[in-house]
Amino acid sequence: MRLFTAFEISTAANAELRRVQASLRQVLTGGRLTAPENFHVTLHFFGEVTSEQLGDLDRVLTSALVGEPPFELALDSLGVFPKHGPARVLWAGLAGDVERLRVLEERMRAALQPLELLRPDGRYSPHITLARDPRAHESVRQLAAGYQVRQVAWRVERLLLFQSVLKPTGATYQVLNAYSLK
């Protein structure tokens, strides 16, 4: 199973990102837009996880979130990955309690380390993917830098464990479990 953990976004944030995509669709000349039902804030991507590892993963996620209260996030400006070279991902950044999100990611990374499911990635960059391999009439970087996103805020109250199912039409995500922040 191909798994990852992520936080949901609110209906209002989803609507704003759909608005952003609709206006960008007029200037993007290539790439794939993320389906609005797939908007989320990834915490950790695990890749392939065996059914034997799934039980251990569930126990670690449950215990790592004990005592973690809900927090607030908000949409912010647009950006691209990587920093240099052709843009491969167009994303919406986050405002609000982003530092808390980073601390939570580090804490959970440490708790997950014994399972050896995480890649030794660089720095965590919380975002919401809007398009992959975007091309535009002008530089995608310039487009992202000058675009205004409404700062829609929402309360993060649970972490979801998703299974990503790859299909020719794109990935679909199925929730396997939800972990409440209390």
Side-chain angles (χ1 to χ4, degrees), residues 47-175:
E48 290 298 321
V49 175
T50 66
S51 53
E52 293 80 28
Q53 293 171 308
L54 185 57
D56 292 334
L57 177 59
D58 182 61
R59 281 188 288 283
V60 170
L61 292 174
T62 299
S63 64
L65 289 172
V66 169
E68 283 293 331
F71 57 97
E72 298 258 330
L73 291 176
L75 298 177
D76 200 16
S77 58
L78 299 185
V80 297
F81 291 135
K83 285 186 178 185
H84 306 288
R88 300 216 35 211
V89 175
L90 174 66
W91 48 261
L94 300 170
D97 208 349
V98 177
E99 188 54 35
R100 174 118 183 285
L101 180 59
R102 285 191 176 104
V103 168
L104 179 59
E105 188 278 337
E106 286 176 18
R107 185 172 154 230
M108 290 195 66
R109 179 174 288 280
L112 290 162
Q113 202 63 42
L115 299 183
E116 298 181 356
L117 292 174
L118 296 174
R119 298 178 188 157
D121 294 318
R123 204 180 78 132
Y124 176 60
S125 297
H127 66 280
I128 301 167
T129 300
L130 299 179
R132 294 190 183 281
D133 300 317
R135 291 184 299 282
H137 300 302
E138 59 182 277
S139 165
V140 175
R141 287 181 205 296
Q142 290 173 328
L143 181 70
Y147 198 88
Q148 295 297 312
V149 178
R150 287 187 214 120
Q151 278 206 339
V152 178
W154 71 95
R155 186 173 168 87
V156 175
E157 297 184 334
R158 65 186 188 158
L159 177 69
L160 301 176
L161 177 63
F162 283 99
Q163 179 178 4
S164 174
V165 179
L166 300 178
K167 297 181 178 182
T169 55
T172 60
Y173 303 144
Q174 300 169 338
V175 176

